[in-house]
């Protein structure tokens, strides 16, 4: 199904370019700024039966360019994590991790099987301890060891990316994290913004609706410092811009949760609450089917999922943050409908505005 002048799908309906595979929603940390804090879910590992089915289903997908092993939880706590790496050895694998659970054996297998690993470092010693409840020294030791194992095995992979979620609680640490990125010989530093989940954190954001001279000056300082240190850095938007781009849709991506649900993205994978420029918003999980009942490509090609991708790709949904009526409107309080008649709304999505960046 196509519409003149608009893309709706790849020509090949068996084609998915990127799959997020959430082995578990459990995590061994309880980070202060994590968007899990207000998500409505129970801790759950993907079952052996479901995992085996998914690994088989992936074989039917064409054009697969990346499998991201991550999600809400910490993937290395799943008992079959290393087996999954082996089963998916023919695909480019990207692992997102907090870096605390990287044993010697696990890192050796990652060097053999993983193309990219992204590790969260949200500040230096004091900030990191306050945010993550863990010592930064553990992460540094693990990553130094990972780089040494790569050297010993004469491998350039996996590429190491550092991710830093910036807020008013840790922004003073960013230049030092750039230094750390360089010292670890990491490939890049990805800076993302905070998604407030609580009243306590809603005023901790660094981004604003409209650009300010102070923000511009700070961004220039950060870019210049990273350039001097020869560190590749990705910086998010710090003020609202007209352009909207959903990477999940643009990159032809789907997300498989630990329950086997097929959802479009991180944001719509669980019931939750968030604060968008101080406004409280309830977000409802939006799934298109479950792999216990249907096949992956059957769900991917369903009318509902195709219509959703078409709507988001072509920007057929409103923009709440810069709407003149937002303060008096009831619709932005929830994400299950909008003024364009969409049943699930992305009108307040911080990812699509490039405030939030995901691997």
């Amino acid at each position: 199904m196509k519409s003149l002048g608009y893309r709706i799908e790849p020509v090949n309906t068996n084609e998915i370019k990127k799959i997020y595979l959430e082995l578990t929603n459990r995590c061994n940390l309880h980070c202060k700024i994590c968007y899990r804090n207000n998500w409505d879910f129970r801790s759950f590992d993907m079952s052996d039966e479901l995992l085996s089915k998914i690994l088989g289903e992936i074989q039917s997908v064409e054009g697969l360019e990346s499998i991201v092993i991550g999600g809400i939880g910490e993937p290395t706590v799943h008992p079959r994590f290393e087996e999954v790496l082996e089963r998916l050895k023919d695909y480019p694998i990207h692992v997102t991790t907090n870096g605390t659970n990287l044993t010697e054996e696990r890192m050796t297998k990652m060097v053999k099987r993983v193309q990219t690993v992204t590790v969260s470092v949200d500040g230096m010693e004091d900030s990191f301890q306050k945010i993550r409840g863990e010592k930064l020294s553990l992460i540094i030791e693990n990553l130094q060891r990972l780089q040494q194992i790569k050297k010993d095995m004469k491998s350039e992979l996996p590429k190491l990316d550092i991710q830093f979620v910036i807020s008013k609680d840790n922004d003073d640490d960013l230049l030092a994290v750039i230094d750390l990125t360089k010292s670890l010989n990491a490939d890049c530093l990805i800076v993302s913004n905070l998604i407030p989940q609580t009243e306590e954190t809603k005023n901790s954001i660094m981004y604003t609706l409209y650009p300010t001279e102070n923000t511009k000056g700070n961004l220039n300082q950060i870019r210049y410092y990273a350039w001097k240190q020869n560190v590749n850095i990705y910086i998010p938007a710090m003020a609202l811009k007209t352009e909207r781009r959903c990477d999940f849709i643009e990159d032809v991506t789907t997300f498989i949760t630990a329950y086997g649900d097929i959802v479009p993205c991180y944001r719509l994978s669980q019931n939750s609450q968030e604060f968008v420029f101080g406004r409280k918003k309830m977000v409802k999980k939006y799934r298109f089917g479950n792999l216990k009942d249907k096949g992956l490509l059957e769900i991917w090609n369903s009318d509902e999922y195709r219509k959703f991708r078409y709507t988001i790709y072509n920007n057929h949904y409103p923009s709440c943050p810069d709407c003149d009526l937002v303060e008096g409107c009831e619709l932005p309080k929830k994400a299950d409908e909008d003024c364009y008649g969409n049943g699930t709304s992305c009108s307040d999505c911080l990812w699509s505005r490039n405030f939030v960046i995901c691997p």
Side-chain angles (χ1 to χ4, degrees):
M1 184 175 85
K2 291 187 178 181
S3 177
L4 184 63
Y6 297 98
R7 189 203 76 179
I8 182 171
E9 297 286 357
V11 174
N12 184 351
T13 55
N14 287 341
E15 182 176 291
I16 302 173
K17 292 185 178 179
K18 190 174 184 179
I19 292 176
Y20 283 84
L21 180 58
E22 181 185 75
L23 298 179
T24 181
N25 61 27
R26 290 191 299 122
C27 189
N28 58 331
L29 298 182
H30 299 281
C31 303
K32 179 181 176 182
I33 62 173
C34 183
Y35 47 67
R36 301 171 79 251
N37 290 331
N38 248 319
W39 286 25
D40 179 18
F41 67 94
R42 63 185 180 87
S43 296
F44 191 88
D45 284 342
M46 183 176 284
S47 68
D48 291 347
E49 181 181 4
L50 177 59
L51 179 56
S52 294
K53 180 183 180 184
I54 290 170
L55 294 177
E57 291 269 351
I58 287 174
Q59 303 297 319
S60 65
V61 176
E62 299 177 11
L64 194 54
E65 297 176 358
S66 178
I67 298 176
V68 182
I69 300 178
I72 302 174
E74 168 54 42
T76 62
V77 304
H78 191 282
R80 293 179 64 185
F81 171 75
E82 291 160 35
E83 178 189 340
V84 170
L85 297 185
E86 185 64 30
R87 292 281 300 274
L88 295 175
K89 64 183 179 181
D90 294 331
Y91 298 95
I93 300 173
H94 185 160
V95 173
T96 63
T97 175
N98 58 37
T100 61
N101 203 26
L102 299 179
T103 63
E104 184 94 1
E105 179 182 4
R106 186 165 290 142
M107 287 190 284
T108 299
K109 290 186 177 181
M110 289 171 69
V111 171
K112 293 178 180 178
R113 299 295 181 225
V114 176
Q115 276 65 49
T116 306
V117 59
T118 299
V119 181
S120 299
V121 178
D122 296 320
M124 299 308 288
E125 289 80 3
D126 291 343
S127 296
F128 191 89
Q129 180 78 42
K130 289 177 183 177
I131 291 170
R132 295 197 165 258
E134 184 58 86
K135 292 182 179 180
L136 178 61
S137 57
L138 170 63
I139 312 302
I140 293 175
E141 289 170 9
N142 284 345
L143 297 184
Q144 288 173 336
R145 185 58 188 146
L146 174 64
Q147 297 292 49
Q148 184 60 49
I149 293 172
K150 286 167 57 178
K151 184 176 181 180
D152 294 342
M153 295 176 66
K154 297 179 172 55
S155 175
E156 295 182 357
L157 300 176
K159 293 195 311 178
L160 174 60
D161 294 345
I162 303 298
Q163 177 140 29
F164 178 87
V165 177
I166 191 169
S167 71
K168 291 179 180 177
D169 294 327
N170 66 354
D171 62 304
D172 289 340
D173 286 357
L174 180 52
L175 298 184
V177 172
I178 292 174
D179 292 336
L180 177 60
T181 302
K182 180 178 181 179
S183 71
L184 290 171
N185 198 29
D187 288 84
C188 74
L189 172 62
I190 303 167
V191 182
S192 184
N193 274 301
L194 173 71
I195 306 173
Q197 300 284 310
T198 64
E199 290 279 354
E200 180 184 1
T201 59
K202 73 176 185 180
N203 294 320
S204 296
I205 61 173
M206 298 293 294
Y207 48 97
T208 57
L209 269 176
Y210 307 106
T212 65
E213 290 303 317
N214 185 53
T215 300
K216 291 179 181 178
N218 289 339
L219 290 178
N220 288 336
Q221 179 190 15
I222 293 165
R223 290 192 184 96
Y224 180 64
Y225 189 80
W227 174 75
K228 285 202 307 179
Q229 297 298 92
N230 198 27
V231 170
N232 292 322
I233 189 168
Y234 292 88
I235 299 176
M238 286 298 182
L240 194 70
K241 297 181 179 180
T242 302
E243 180 184 3
R244 293 188 294 184
R245 182 186 189 278
C246 176
D247 286 341
F248 291 96
I249 301 298
E250 296 272 353
D251 295 345
V252 195
T253 302
T254 197
F255 184 169
I256 305 173
T257 74
Y259 305 102
D261 290 327
I262 299 297
V263 297
C265 60
Y266 278 125
R267 181 174 181 254
L268 298 177
S269 67
Q270 294 290 338
N271 297 328
S272 65
Q273 76 172 22
E274 62 188 24
F275 288 84
V276 182
F277 295 105
R279 290 183 287 106
K280 183 177 179 180
K281 189 180 193 80
M282 304 306 298
V283 179
K284 187 177 181 180
K285 179 178 181 177
Y286 188 25
R287 69 170 196 159
F288 298 98
N290 189 285
L291 291 177
K292 296 173 186 175
D293 308 315
K294 297 180 179 180
L296 174 58
L297 290 175
E298 180 183 3
I299 297 172
W300 174 257
N301 289 309
S302 66
D303 288 344
E304 183 183 10
Y305 203 170
R306 285 165 62 89
K307 180 182 178 182
F308 177 84
R309 295 198 297 272
Y310 175 88
T311 298
I312 303 306
Y313 181 82
N314 291 299
N315 280 310
H316 289 175
Y317 61 100
S319 173
C320 289
D322 51 350
C323 175
D324 292 339
L325 304 177
V326 65
E327 295 302 330
C329 184
E330 290 295 312
L331 292 175
K333 294 180 180 180
K334 296 182 179 180
D336 52 3
E337 61 177 330
D338 62 37
C339 59
Y340 281 22
N342 296 311
T344 293
S345 178
C346 298
S347 57
D348 262 332
C349 179
L350 297 173
W351 275 272
S352 70
R353 299 294 191 150
N354 200 38
F355 288 119
V356 180
I357 301 175
C358 287

